[in-house]
Amino acid sequence: IHSYAELTRDEFGKPLRMFGTMIDITERKQAEEALRESETRFRAVFENSVDAIGVSKAGIHVFVNPAYLALFGYADNAELTGRPILDLIAPSQHKHILENVRRRADGHSAPAAYETRGLRKDGSEFDMDTHVSTYELDDEVYTVAHLRDITERKQAEKALRESEERLRQIASSLREVIWLRD
């Protein structure tokens, strides 16, 4: 078992006369090590997540992970820190998102999961799945958003609907009776 101690001393007059105190700081050192380990685990999850994760306060970016930067086409956190999240939302969705931001900042409930449209740095829009939660730190409300590009899924859903509609049109235009048997 390792023990840590903090030693302070005051010298009075001659070097041989010394007064000192020793305080056991083992618990403090263990707590510091546990905090470092916790921070390392959090950073590993945050930095390596395939989901885009962004943290904001009152609708302003605080920090984001690499997947978030890639999703929206930015190079580093400095490009987004301090900028409104609405800068990354399609203009057609601003009113809806702004209302959610206000509700969360005021401590009221807002939808935790929804679909919206994102806006990349190059100006292109995309369909986005959004999951949002909040936490408080020093009496301030922060929002954590997990985002995914769902453009391919939306395109596949649209193609399926169109295919089903074409099949219905073909079936309704036939004069013969068609039945399916399972």
Side-chain angles (χ1 to χ4, degrees):
I1 296 177
H2 293 287
S3 292
Y4 298 92
E6 185 174 89
L7 179 64
T8 59
R9 65 184 179 137
D10 293 326
E11 294 184 22
F12 300 104
K14 296 181 182 177
L16 295 175
R17 294 179 13 193
M18 184 177 12
F19 173 74
T21 59
M22 195 160 89
I23 301 168
D24 185 352
I25 59 168
T26 303
E27 286 183 24
R28 183 178 83 195
K29 288 293 187 181
Q30 290 170 341
E32 288 172 356
E33 181 60 27
L35 179 60
R36 268 191 299 280
E37 289 175 8
S38 177
E39 288 173 352
T40 299
R41 283 191 297 270
F42 166 77
R43 187 172 312 284
V45 170
F46 184 77
E47 296 291 327
N48 295 300
S49 174
V50 294
D51 283 343
I53 303 172
V55 177
S56 62
K57 181 172 66 169
I60 303 298
H61 285 99
V62 176
F63 59 93
V64 300
N65 73 346
Y68 192 103
L69 294 169
L71 178 64
F72 290 100
Y74 289 88
D76 60 46
N77 260 300
E79 289 186 86
L80 293 176
T81 301
R83 288 185 55 190
I85 63 167
L86 286 180
D87 287 358
L88 306 182
I89 302 295
S92 63
Q93 303 294 305
H94 281 192
K95 182 179 177 185
H96 173 71
I97 300 302
L98 189 56
E99 178 60 25
N100 287 345
V101 168
R102 285 184 184 143
R103 293 187 61 75
R104 282 188 197 91
D106 291 340
H108 296 97
S109 66
Y114 54 89
E115 292 178 3
T116 190
R117 304 258 316 146
L119 181 65
R120 290 191 173 93
K121 184 178 182 179
D122 67 8
S124 63
E125 293 185 13
F126 64 98
D127 293 308
M128 184 168 66
D129 189 39
T130 306
H131 292 265
V132 182
S133 61
T134 59
Y135 68 93
E136 279 191 45
L137 179 64
D138 297 328
D139 295 325
E140 294 184 299
V141 177
Y142 290 82
T143 300
V144 179
H146 294 256
L147 312 171
R148 285 190 181 167
D149 182 340
I150 58 170
T151 303
E152 289 181 12
R153 186 186 86 198
K154 291 294 215 175
Q155 290 171 344
E157 289 170 354
K158 180 181 178 188
L160 179 60
R161 283 191 306 274
E162 290 171 352
S163 176
E164 288 173 344
E165 180 57 33
R166 281 193 304 274
L167 183 60
R168 272 193 284 283
Q169 288 175 356
I170 291 170
S172 67
S173 67
L174 294 176
R175 294 188 179 179
E176 288 89 29
V177 174
I178 298 177
W179 73 90
L180 297 174
R181 189 171 143 194
D182 188 3

